[in-house]
Amino acid sequence: MRRLVLALPALSLVLHCDLLFPLPTVVLPRRQASDLAEVYRNLPSRDIGRFSRPADPLNMIFLGTEEAVRRTLEDAGWTSLPLTIAPCFWEGLGQVLTGRRLTKFPPMNDFRVLGRRQDMNWVQVIRPVETRHHFRLWKTGVFDARGREVWWGSGNFDLSVRYWDFSHRPHPDMNLERAFLAESLKGSARVERTALLDLAQIPKAGVNAHGYPFSSDGRALLVELR
């Protein structure tokens, strides 16, 4: 396991060399929206993966402050994963050397929405390195009258690793991960409301940036936080 943790970062860097030259930082203009339903209908349909390929579809939306999102997910048993390879490597190696369960490695790939890398990575590990629940969240710069931001999100269940390109093979049915997230938040005092939104822009079938197939019923889970 130690050798694997040491080798995978180098392999990831080689296979994701396009990420060594990231897009310029995009600063989102802050705006308050009176019609959130209209905002949801105009969210991007998919994130963008390696070499500008269309990747995973939208299947979750959070409405809340950054602090509320973090506390809610931590309380629900989700682990925050660093956004870049180096801290994932060092934190993962630390877990291995101290005999703790490996949850901080491997890293999650760099995907973009509105020209920006994800703002949060969240995981629940089933089998270290290979199998995990996971999703990414992006800020949108859109706020409601209570100061809660709209977060764009996409997640799926990783079944195994395809080592030749260091990508995870996800379960094709993305509705399953959406349902798992909803179940994990049940009973949370921080959650004000959840709902499933039918959004026309969400594709119901396709392949992601690595060529893996996905299916969806065209709905996104909305999680409104207090």
Side-chain angles (χ1 to χ4, degrees):
M1 179 63 75
R2 292 186 187 183
R3 291 180 179 177
L4 181 62
V5 172
L6 287 169
L8 289 181
L11 178 61
S12 181
L13 280 172
V14 171
L15 293 171
H16 298 84
C17 59
D18 57 310
L19 301 182
L20 298 177
F21 306 95
L23 295 175
T25 300
V26 176
V27 178
L28 296 171
R30 180 185 175 112
R31 66 183 180 91
Q32 183 175 313
S34 57
D35 186 355
L36 288 177
E38 180 67 16
V39 171
Y40 301 149
R41 287 193 294 269
N42 286 283
L43 290 173
S45 61
R46 299 172 70 170
D47 55 27
I48 302 299
R50 295 183 61 216
F51 307 113
S52 299
R53 295 170 183 156
D56 297 317
L58 167 70
N59 67 349
M60 57 188 69
I61 301 168
F62 277 73
L63 180 63
T65 65
E66 182 169 350
E67 180 183 11
V69 172
R70 288 192 180 279
R71 289 189 176 184
T72 300
L73 292 170
E74 288 169 354
D75 289 350
W78 291 88
T79 298
S80 178
L81 205 64
L83 299 178
T84 54
I85 293 174
C88 281
F89 166 65
W90 290 114
E91 291 183 32
L93 183 60
Q95 289 178 322
V96 170
L97 294 176
T98 56
R100 290 173 290 157
R101 179 174 173 78
L102 183 60
T103 61
K104 292 287 189 174
F105 191 86
M108 289 169 62
N109 288 332
D110 184 353
F111 284 80
R112 296 181 184 273
V113 170
L114 303 175
R116 302 175 65 255
R117 168 191 282 169
Q118 65 261 27
D119 293 283
M120 292 185 185
N121 291 326
W122 294 95
V123 298
Q124 284 195 24
V125 173
I126 305 301
R127 187 167 62 246
V129 177
E130 292 196 334
T131 308
R132 62 184 177 180
H133 298 278
H134 82 293
F135 63 93
R136 302 171 176 84
L137 291 176
W138 286 259
K139 296 179 178 180
T140 65
V142 180
F143 293 78
D144 70 357
R146 293 163 54 184
R148 299 179 298 177
E149 186 166 9
V150 176
W151 297 73
W152 192 104
S154 183
N156 47 39
F157 181 53
D158 285 338
L159 297 171
S160 61
V161 177
R162 187 170 68 183
Y163 282 100
W164 67 263
D165 68 347
F166 194 47
S167 66
H168 281 87
R169 180 175 64 88
H171 195 292
D173 186 353
M174 295 188 66
N175 301 328
L176 298 179
E177 189 68 358
R178 185 189 67 197
F180 181 84
L181 171 62
E183 184 66 27
S184 75
L185 298 177
K186 271 190 176 180
S188 171
R190 300 182 188 278
V191 176
E192 186 172 287
R193 182 177 81 96
T194 62
L196 288 174
L197 305 181
D198 282 294
L199 297 174
Q201 73 266 38
I202 299 177
K204 294 187 177 180
V207 295
N208 68 14
H210 294 284
Y212 296 113
F214 67 79
S215 64
S216 163
D217 62 6
R219 296 188 293 174
L221 173 68
L222 172 65
V223 181
E224 294 187 4
L225 303 179
R226 301 188 189 282

